[in-house]
Structure formats: structure tokens, C-alpha cells
Amino acid sequence: MKIIKGNFIFSKTSDTLEYLKDYYLILKKNKIIEFRDKIEDIQEEYTLYDYERKMIIPSFYDMHLHAPQYKMKGLGMDKELIDWLNDYTFKEESKFSDFKYSEKIYDDFCRELIKQGTFNIVVYSTIHKDTTEILFNKLKEYGINAYVGKVNMDRNSPNFLQENTINSIKETEELIIEHKDDPQVKPIITPRFAPTSSAKLLKELGELAIKYNIPVQSHLSENPGEVEWVKNLYPKSPNYSTVYYENNLFGQTKTLMAHCIYVSDEGKKLMKDNKIIAVHCPSSNLNLSSGMMKVREFLDLGIDIYLGSDIGAGDTLSMREIIKLTIQISKLVFRNNSHKPISLEEAFYMATKAPGVFFDKKESFEKGKELNALVIDDEYFDLDLKERLSKFIYNGDDRNIYARYLNSKLL
Amino acid sequence: MKIIKGNFIFSKTSDTLEYLKDYYLILKKNKIIEFRDKIEDIQEEYTLYDYERKMIIPSFYDMHLHAPQYKMKGLGMDKELIDWLNDYTFKEESKFSDFKYSEKIYDDFCRELIKQGTFNIVVYSTIHKDTTEILFNKLKEYGINAYVGKVNMDRNSPNFLQENTINSIKETEELIIEHKDDPQVKPIITPRFAPTSSAKLLKELGELAIKYNIPVQSHLSENPGEVEWVKNLYPKSPNYSTVYYENNLFGQTKTLMAHCIYVSDEGKKLMKDNKIIAVHCPSSNLNLSSGMMKVREFLDLGIDIYLGSDIGAGDTLSMREIIKLTIQISKLVFRNNSHKPISLEEAFYMATKAPGVFFDKKESFEKGKELNALVIDDEYFDLDLKERLSKFIYNGDDRNIYARYLNSKLL
């Protein structure tokens, strides 16, 4: 038995936090048993990990990001989406036909995730099956819980980064069969976005999703130019969301849609009715001039919001930064549209608790689950826990992460 | 004679950068003599500081910030300006009647400036003359070039943070006389903002500015509520800018006005005609829900823009972060108002070069001047210098600052 002592902070509801000052967390066989305010009456043998006045918070979830873009984050930031894809991203992703390069970047990527305290991710690789395997294996090696999506794209991309439709489906199915029963790193169906998938590819990916009950991720309404393009490519679909919906890629299995800045009212209704989760990526939305997602509007409609770093368009893997940006951008939406800003409590919930259900484990310090936690060190002992958490979110960095518990193991 | 070798990057114009790869900078008696691409023909004795493939950039200017708010940055971020002032800031600033507290916070503040590579600042203290002296001295001790403004406020603030008008003027004049001839840390006239100054106080501060030819700083049109308040307080003034202008606090001497989000067209004309410099504080503008400054519009009107961290409403002293935010927020303004976004080159100029004239020294690696520079270490030797700089601005932090030259001294 292990007992961990410190100041525990975690989401109680979607907009309130629990603060347990000087509490003890009891771990038995690596599962959370309970929180206690004293341990004098415990008979069993235990090891005490005393973090004294430090804060202990859940680790972060990053629900939309591109592992092969790890190195290029911070580059091409003078472009909008489509130019950024063509001028930078597709070139970088084409390098992932190379084993050695993939091995190096995916290793760097995993190390940075651990450093930043992100232990659960839903990630894109590239079109390359073989090096997608490297990403699966690296994540397993590091202990990171993940869904990995081999990207599918069979049109509107350069020849060096385009698949044959039949092969794309075949390789995707092979990866699904190989990884679907893994308890830690699983597959997810990942058409890059409607413009780079033929109707046939979308249709067959939807069939795979249903056949194996595999979740789906893609991009939706990120940029005005992209929305216009989709309208031209799919003139018969009433809106962008319908393109995915008609192909069984929109809620028929669990579905994540990133960005959702320019979703029409009908599109939002389709999201709501089909329990689509919108992934908000504020760093990326700034860097590619995409615009401001109206997070409050989605919440008010009852659509769940998770957060994503979206590297390489986003410039950081720090979900602390993404929480901060979520709050900040919501204040501009407030100024423009009078929507109530997103509170720290709400953004914290989106990054540390809400996505638990997607992983079939609610990991924010719940009984019976493994512990994924960060021990946060600071110097502000004269402030209360609410203020100390605010200072970590606004002023902190990875140097404040004193210790990490990943699937109950102290790293 | 000292010779510094590396890859030098600095502003050539307001929107272009010079990249000098594998160059040598010659320093003689601590003054910059010239850049050279070779040194074989140099006869004189010299010491070579070889930074190999590292980048060398100018240090940063922070042209609007509040030193006494150093500790409280990251707190009260759920408030707008006026509530934030009343609920957090005024309470914190009242602690600066205490010598020991001031000594501690101002020392932490200076150390963090050095760590972040900011060597030139224009800063607010509090209303307290004695502890403002501590800030003057601390900055001198650390070698930081600065203008320090003792804050003047004689109304609309709590009793514990309010001055008697006569005393406010007397103490301000004493500080001016004592520090105006200091080559490194100088005084600046600093009415907090129109709402907390009586008409009499503003008038007499303007007289002091002219009498001693001292520059002026204040806040202008940061928040819609504040603008409305000023309208009510000064019903005879046609706009907010006029309140300062009529009191000789608007261009009669060099003048910095922070925020400038809600300046009317007449106000902008008055700014332009009186060579007012607008200080853009994007972190603060986000955190206090203030809104988006339309930087491009000011530039197009010919109004100079500098950048400020504006701690503690801003949450970081890193001007690298402020450069990044300047670019990012300008992309949202582009999306809303079609104004061309601010480029990295432009934001870099605002934070490392433009403010040189305010200090009567153009410090961005100009001949005859002292060297204020940061040696930036990274690992991206396969990228070109433009890309490496972009990665530092977007992904870097103070750990990338390998060495610092402050007034030509290696720290």
C-alpha cells in the first residue's frame, strides 16, 4: 500500500474544484482507494510519500495533436491553414516514410509529453503505416495512454503524401486489427479532413469504424477558406458536418472534431444530436489566423468540449498554456459577443477530467482507477490553494512539476 | 578589445531583419565598433568570445509594467480592470509602505527581468516615495536601464492608497530633482490614469513635466467601463486623450500611453499630432477582458507602437511571450477587421529596437552604443536562422538564453 500526502486539487463538477488540504491518498495495488484527512488508524503496512505543502493535480489530456509535426511547431506561422499545409506540413510529414527520422521525432515527442505532464492523448500520425507502428510502440514504451490515428488522405495533397484509396483502407484495417485490443494504445479512424479524402475513402472509413466499433477523429470548420472548399467539393451536402455524418464518421462511434470555429447552426444541431465532442485548439487557432471558437455557445447547447494543443499549428505541448489560452480567448469572445468567459475551473475540467470518459477511465482521482497526477512545486505558501493553482496556470512551467505519477507509477 | 562571434539577428527596418551568419562583433571600450565577416587582419590584441552556431539578438525593452504587481501576476484573472484594481491591486500596492516587503519584491522583480533578458524598462512603482527609492536603487544595482514613475493618485482609490494632492506633487518633484541627471535610472511623470487624479493633480503634474522636461506615462482607453467613467468625470473634455492633453501630459514632453484599445478617431488624431507612443500590452488586454488593440491601424496612422508586459495584469515578464501574443492577437484582428497581421519582424522591432529612441540610445547593435544582447542556444542547426528565431519566439523560454550582455558586460 502507498500513501501520498499533499494538497490535492481536482474537478468536483464541470465548473468547481475540490481542494483537499493536507490530505492523504491511499493507493492499493496501484488503484485509488480513498482520500483521508488522517491515517493514524491505518493498520496495514504502507510507504508514505509526503509532498508536504505541494499541490497535487491530475495529469493533462491532449485531445488533438499531430505527433509528426512536433519538430516543426513554431514554423510557418505567417500562413493560413491551406498554405501552411502545403508549404510546411505536408513536406514535414513526408519525412515519416523514413524509419530513423520517425524514431527520433516520436521519441522526442513522447519525452516532451511526459515533461509537460500530459499522459493521455488522441493523436494523428501520418499516412505511413510502418512508422505509425513506431508511434504506437513509443507511446507504449513511455506508458502514455493514447488513441493513434493513421492519417488517411487520397486526394488534394502532393503526390509524395497521397495514398491509393484501396491501400489506405487496407492498411488502416490492418492497424485496427493489430491494436484494437491493446489496453493502453488503441487505434482511431482518422480521415485528415474532408478535402483530402475522396467520397469513397470516407465511406469505407465509416464502414471500418462501425465494423470494429472504433472511434473517429477529424477536423471541422477550422478556416473560412476550408469551409468554402468543402462546399465546392461536396455540393450536395447541406453543410460540412453532413459530409462526415453521411459517411458514418459523425457520432456513429465516439467522435472528436477539432476546431469547430465556423460550424453552422444546422451543423451544431447535428453535433449535439450525435454527441460529437468538439476539441478546442486555441493556440493553433491563433497561429493560423483561424479565428475564435465560441466555446460557451457549444457548452450552452450541451456539446462537450475537450482541449487540444494541436501541435504543430499550436506552438506548445503544455496543456497548462492551453488552459490559459482557453480562458484568455473566451474573454475576447465575451468582449465581442457577450458570452460569459470560460473560468479557470471550467478550462481545468476540460483538460484534466472531461476526456476521462473517452478513455473509458475517469482518471481525475476517482476510486478504483489508477493515479495519473502531477506534484506541483511553488513558493507561494502565503497564498491559498486557489491562488496557487491560478499562479501555476498563468505563470508556471514544466519546472514546477516536481513529480509525476503515470498509471500509478512514480516516474 | 573584445570580439564576439556568432549568428547576429537584429532589426534592419521596422519590418525586416538582418541576419549575419558567422559574424564578428568588435567591441572597444565597451562600445560597438563594427560587424565583420572575418578578423584575420586585426592587429590589436583582443579576447574572442566564440558563441559558435548560437544566435545573438538584442535584449528586450518592456515599455509598460508595474513592479509592485510582480508577485500578484496570475491572480484575480477573473476580474475586469476596475474590480481587479479594487479587489487585488490596490491591496497589494498598499504593502509598499513597508520597506522590507518592497526590498524583497523589487529584488525578485529585477532578477526576473535579467533572467528574461529585459534590460530596458519604463516602470510604475506605487504612491510611496520612500520605497520608490528602493526601486530606483535596485534597478541601478542590477544595471537595468529604466524610467521609474512614482504613481500619483489623489482620488477614487481606497484611503490606504490615496495621496494628498500637495504632498503628491512635492514628493514627485523631490524624486525628479534627485534622479533626473542619472544616466541609467531616470524619473518619469506617472499619473496612474485620469480617474484616480484630480484635475488639480493632473495640472500640476503637467507643469512639472514641462519645468524639468520629464517624460510622461499613463493609461489610456483600456476598458469600455473606464472610458465611460472618464467621460463622466471630465464632462467638458471632448475625449479621454484631451483630458491629458489639456494638462500638458500628452506630448508636451515624450509620452507613453498604455493600452489604447478604445481611442476615438479624434483621440487618435491627437495622438498622432502630438507624437504620443502607444504601448501595446496584449497579455494584460486578454487577462482583464479588455479587448484587442488594433495595432495595424495605429501604425498606418504613423503612431509608434512599443510593447509592454503590463504585469501584474499581464502574466509574464517574458517579452518573447509578448512578441508572440502581439502577432497572435493581430491575427484575430485580421479575421475580424481585415487588418494585415503584425509580422514577427514587426513585433521583434517593437520589442528590441523601436524604443531605443525613448532611451536616447539606439541599442539594437548600433555603432558607438553599448551592447545589450542575448545569446540564444537551441538545437535546430539544420534550420535556417529565420526559422530558428521563429522557434525561439514561439517555443523557447529563458532556458534558451545562454549568455547575457548588459551594457556591454557579460553577466
Side-chain angles (χ1 to χ4, degrees):
Chain A
M1 197 161 86
K2 284 186 217 166
I3 298 183
I4 294 165
K5 190 189 170 230
N7 297 309
F8 294 86
I9 307 176
F10 53 95
S11 293
K12 199 158 57 175
T13 68
S14 64
D15 60 358
T16 59
L17 288 172
E18 183 74 89
Y19 299 94
L20 300 179
K21 197 165 155 56
D22 294 325
Y23 255 66
Y24 300 86
L25 176 64
I26 317 295
L27 276 183
K28 210 165 165 174
K29 290 183 182 159
N30 286 329
K31 293 286 186 323
I32 295 173
I33 302 298
E34 61 177 335
F35 284 103
R36 285 165 155 260
D37 59 359
K38 54 177 190 289
I39 52 166
E40 287 79 3
D41 55 333
I42 288 185
Q43 308 291 337
E44 242 175 294
E45 248 181 71
Y46 60 80
T47 318
L48 180 68
Y49 298 82
D50 187 351
Y51 293 107
E52 298 170 339
R53 295 191 289 183
K54 295 183 180 66
M55 297 181 284
I56 305 177
I57 64 172
S59 70
F60 298 116
Y61 291 84
D62 190 341
M63 299 300 281
H64 180 79
L65 73 170
H66 297 260
Q69 297 170 19
Y70 175 67
K71 195 186 161 184
M72 60 163 281
K73 69 187 187 312
L75 294 181
M77 304 275 86
D78 50 351
K79 307 281 177 188
E80 281 188 56
L81 176 63
I82 306 301
D83 289 343
W84 173 81
L85 284 171
N86 285 312
D87 296 355
Y88 288 84
T89 315
F90 289 157
K91 280 172 200 157
E92 180 68 16
E93 289 197 6
S94 76
K95 295 181 191 165
F96 286 76
S97 59
D98 183 280
F99 274 67
K100 220 174 131 189
Y101 190 76
S102 308
E103 174 85 22
K104 160 91 175 83
I105 301 298
Y106 287 154
D107 193 73
D108 288 352
F109 168 74
C110 289
R111 262 191 297 119
E112 182 70 13
L113 284 171
I114 299 288
K115 188 171 134 188
Q116 297 294 346
T118 299
F119 302 158
N120 291 275
I121 66 171
V122 183
V123 65
Y124 290 56
S125 64
T126 59
I127 59 169
H128 312 92
K129 185 197 164 196
D130 290 345
T131 59
T132 296
E133 290 281 11
I134 294 177
L135 182 56
F136 270 98
N137 293 333
K138 278 282 166 203
L139 289 163
K140 269 185 230 184
E141 185 187 320
Y142 277 89
I144 295 166
N145 308 302
Y147 283 92
V148 176
K150 183 203 105 61
V151 168
N152 303 95
M153 47 202 289
D154 67 347
R155 66 167 176 174
N156 290 324
S157 59
N159 284 336
F160 57 76
L161 201 70
Q162 193 161 300
E163 301 172 288
N164 162 292
T165 313
I166 294 168
N167 213 38
S168 178
I169 293 296
K170 180 175 157 285
E171 294 190 342
T172 303
E173 185 161 15
E174 286 164 2
L175 282 169
I176 289 172
I177 292 168
E178 192 183 337
H179 295 281
K180 72 185 170 54
D181 298 320
D182 190 278
Q184 186 201 327
V185 185
K186 295 168 181 290
I188 182 167
I189 301 279
T190 307
R192 183 175 211 113
F193 66 152
T196 54
S197 297
S198 66
K200 180 169 164 31
L201 180 61
L202 289 181
K203 184 170 169 290
E204 298 204 12
L205 286 173
E207 285 167 10
L208 280 186
I210 287 178
K211 178 172 175 191
Y212 296 101
N213 190 26
I214 299 291
V216 171
Q217 65 177 343
S218 196
H219 298 81
L220 179 67
S221 299
E222 175 174 2
N223 177 289
E226 169 217 7
V227 172
E228 209 44 44
W229 194 16
V230 172
K231 213 176 268 179
N232 293 331
L233 288 170
Y234 294 91
K236 286 183 194 160
S237 292
N239 60 62
Y240 196 157
S241 302
T242 324
V243 176
Y244 295 126
Y245 178 72
E246 287 169 346
N247 288 293
N248 292 319
L249 295 164
F250 209 69
Q252 289 81 1
T253 61
K254 286 189 296 191
T255 304
L256 299 174
M257 285 286 152
H259 303 292
C260 305
I261 303 175
Y262 301 100
V263 183
S264 64
D265 287 346
E266 297 77 26
K268 280 176 201 144
K269 187 170 181 320
L270 211 58
M271 289 182 74
K272 159 77 178 154
D273 292 347
N274 291 281
K275 296 196 169 65
I276 306 304
I277 296 146
V279 187
H280 178 43
C281 307
S283 174
S284 168
N285 294 347
L286 285 169
N287 287 330
L288 297 187
S289 303
S290 301
M292 293 188 266
M293 186 196 182
K294 300 201 178 71
V295 176
R296 177 66 64 200
E297 193 176 36
F298 284 81
L299 290 178
D300 286 349
L301 286 170
I303 297 168
D304 278 346
I305 303 266
Y306 299 165
L307 302 183
S309 69
D310 194 21
I311 64 155
D315 55 62
T316 176
L317 274 181
S318 162
M319 292 306 292
R320 185 196 55 72
E321 280 287 331
I322 300 302
I323 289 173
K324 175 165 117 175
L325 276 178
T326 296
I327 302 165
Q328 290 178 323
I329 297 304
S330 78
K331 291 174 177 175
L332 295 181
V333 176
F334 156 74
R335 190 53 76 201
N336 279 1
N337 304 81
S338 301
H339 298 178
K340 186 178 155 212
I342 303 300
S343 65
L344 188 147
E345 288 79 1
E346 289 176 298
F348 192 82
Y349 172 80
M350 293 172 195
T352 66
K353 170 95 176 175
V357 292
F358 198 86
F359 284 84
D360 293 327
K361 16 180 178 177
K362 300 185 189 73
E363 306 216 356
S364 181
F365 298 172
E366 292 193 18
K367 286 175 196 175
K369 305 298 178 183
E370 292 181 328
L371 180 66
N372 283 306
L374 310 175
V375 181
I376 306 298
D377 196 11
D378 64 9
E379 47 185 318
Y380 303 108
F381 300 134
D382 55 325
L383 302 180
D384 65 29
L385 286 174
K386 181 175 192 261
E387 293 173 321
R388 285 171 62 192
L389 180 67
S390 180
K391 281 193 82 72
F392 170 63
I393 297 296
Y394 281 93
N395 314 150
D397 68 26
D398 58 277
R399 287 169 282 193
N400 296 107
I401 307 180
Y402 176 84
R404 294 161 177 83
Y405 284 87
L406 171 52
N407 299 333
S408 293
K409 281 180 230 34
L410 177 62
L411 299 184
Chain B
M1 199 159 87
K2 282 185 220 167
I3 299 183
I4 294 164
K5 186 183 174 234
N7 296 310
F8 294 87
I9 307 176
F10 54 95
S11 293
K12 198 156 62 177
T13 68
S14 63
D15 61 359
T16 59
L17 289 171
E18 183 75 89
Y19 299 94
L20 300 179
K21 197 166 155 55
D22 294 324
Y23 255 66
Y24 301 86
L25 175 64
I26 318 293
L27 277 183
K28 210 166 168 175
K29 290 182 183 159
N30 287 328
K31 294 285 187 321
I32 294 172
I33 301 298
E34 61 176 338
F35 283 102
R36 286 164 153 262
D37 59 357
K38 55 175 188 285
I39 51 165
E40 287 80 2
D41 54 335
I42 287 184
Q43 309 291 335
E44 241 174 295
E45 247 180 70
Y46 60 81
T47 317
L48 180 68
Y49 298 82
D50 187 350
Y51 293 106
E52 299 170 338
R53 295 190 288 184
K54 295 183 180 66
M55 299 183 281
I56 305 176
I57 64 172
S59 70
F60 297 116
Y61 292 84
D62 191 341
M63 300 300 280
H64 180 79
L65 73 170
H66 297 262
Q69 298 170 19
Y70 174 66
K71 194 186 161 184
M72 60 164 280
K73 67 186 189 312
L75 294 181
M77 303 275 87
D78 49 354
K79 308 281 176 187
E80 282 190 56
L81 176 63
I82 306 300
D83 288 342
W84 174 81
L85 284 172
N86 286 313
D87 296 354
Y88 288 85
T89 315
F90 289 157
K91 279 171 201 160
E92 180 70 15
E93 289 197 7
S94 74
K95 296 181 190 166
F96 287 76
S97 58
D98 183 279
F99 273 68
K100 219 173 131 189
Y101 191 77
S102 307
E103 174 84 23
K104 160 87 173 86
I105 301 296
Y106 288 154
D107 193 73
D108 288 351
F109 169 73
C110 289
R111 260 190 299 120
E112 182 70 13
L113 284 172
I114 299 288
K115 188 172 133 186
Q116 297 294 346
T118 299
F119 302 159
N120 291 273
I121 67 171
V122 183
V123 65
Y124 289 55
S125 65
T126 57
I127 58 169
H128 311 92
K129 184 197 164 195
D130 290 346
T131 60
T132 296
E133 290 283 11
I134 294 176
L135 182 56
F136 270 99
N137 292 334
K138 279 283 165 202
L139 289 162
K140 268 186 231 183
E141 186 187 321
Y142 278 89
I144 295 165
N145 308 301
Y147 284 91
V148 175
K150 184 203 101 62
V151 168
N152 303 95
M153 49 202 288
D154 67 347
R155 67 165 174 173
N156 291 325
S157 58
N159 284 335
F160 58 76
L161 200 71
Q162 194 162 299
E163 301 172 290
N164 161 294
T165 312
I166 294 169
N167 213 38
S168 176
I169 293 296
K170 180 174 158 287
E171 293 190 343
T172 303
E173 185 160 17
E174 286 165 4
L175 281 168
I176 289 172
I177 292 168
E178 191 184 337
H179 296 281
K180 71 184 171 53
D181 298 321
D182 190 279
Q184 187 202 326
V185 185
K186 296 168 180 290
I188 183 165
I189 300 279
T190 305
R192 182 174 213 115
F193 67 151
T196 54
S197 298
S198 66
K200 182 169 162 35
L201 180 62
L202 288 181
K203 184 172 169 291
E204 297 203 14
L205 286 173
E207 284 168 12
L208 280 185
I210 288 178
K211 179 173 175 190
Y212 295 102
N213 189 27
I214 299 291
V216 171
Q217 66 178 342
S218 197
H219 298 81
L220 180 67
S221 299
E222 177 175 359
N223 178 289
E226 167 217 9
V227 172
E228 208 45 43
W229 193 16
V230 172
K231 214 176 267 179
N232 293 332
L233 289 170
Y234 296 90
K236 287 183 191 160
S237 291
N239 61 61
Y240 196 160
S241 302
T242 324
V243 176
Y244 295 126
Y245 178 71
E246 286 168 348
N247 288 293
N248 292 317
L249 295 165
F250 210 70
Q252 288 82 2
T253 61
K254 284 189 297 192
T255 303
L256 300 174
M257 285 286 153
H259 303 291
C260 303
I261 302 175
Y262 300 101
V263 183
S264 64
D265 287 346
E266 298 78 24
K268 279 176 202 145
K269 188 173 182 320
L270 210 59
M271 289 184 73
K272 159 80 178 155
D273 291 347
N274 291 281
K275 296 197 170 64
I276 305 305
I277 296 147
V279 187
H280 177 43
C281 306
S283 175
S284 168
N285 295 346
L286 285 169
N287 288 328
L288 297 187
S289 304
S290 301
M292 293 188 266
M293 186 195 182
K294 301 203 177 71
V295 175
R296 178 65 65 202
E297 192 176 38
F298 284 81
L299 290 178
D300 286 348
L301 286 169
I303 297 169
D304 279 346
I305 304 267
Y306 298 164
L307 301 183
S309 68
D310 195 20
I311 63 154
D315 55 62
T316 176
L317 274 180
S318 162
M319 292 305 292
R320 182 196 57 70
E321 280 287 330
I322 301 300
I323 289 173
K324 176 165 114 174
L325 276 177
T326 296
I327 302 165
Q328 289 176 324
I329 298 304
S330 79
K331 290 175 178 175
L332 295 181
V333 176
F334 156 74
R335 190 53 74 200
N336 279 359
N337 304 82
S338 301
H339 297 176
K340 187 179 154 207
I342 302 301
S343 65
L344 188 147
E345 288 79 0
E346 289 176 296
F348 192 82
Y349 173 80
M350 293 173 194
T352 65
K353 170 93 178 180
V357 293
F358 197 88
F359 285 84
D360 292 328
K361 13 180 180 176
K362 300 186 189 67
E363 306 216 355
S364 180
F365 298 172
E366 291 194 15
K367 286 175 196 179
K369 305 297 178 185
E370 292 180 327
L371 180 66
N372 284 306
L374 311 175
V375 181
I376 306 299
D377 196 11
D378 64 11
E379 48 185 316
Y380 302 108
F381 300 134
D382 55 326
L383 301 179
D384 65 30
L385 286 174
K386 180 173 191 266
E387 292 173 321
R388 285 172 61 191
L389 180 67
S390 181
K391 280 194 83 72
F392 170 64
I393 296 296
Y394 281 92
N395 313 150
D397 69 26
D398 58 278
R399 285 170 281 194
N400 296 108
I401 307 180
Y402 176 84
R404 294 160 177 83
Y405 283 86
L406 170 52
N407 299 332
S408 293
K409 279 180 235 33
L410 177 61
L411 299 185

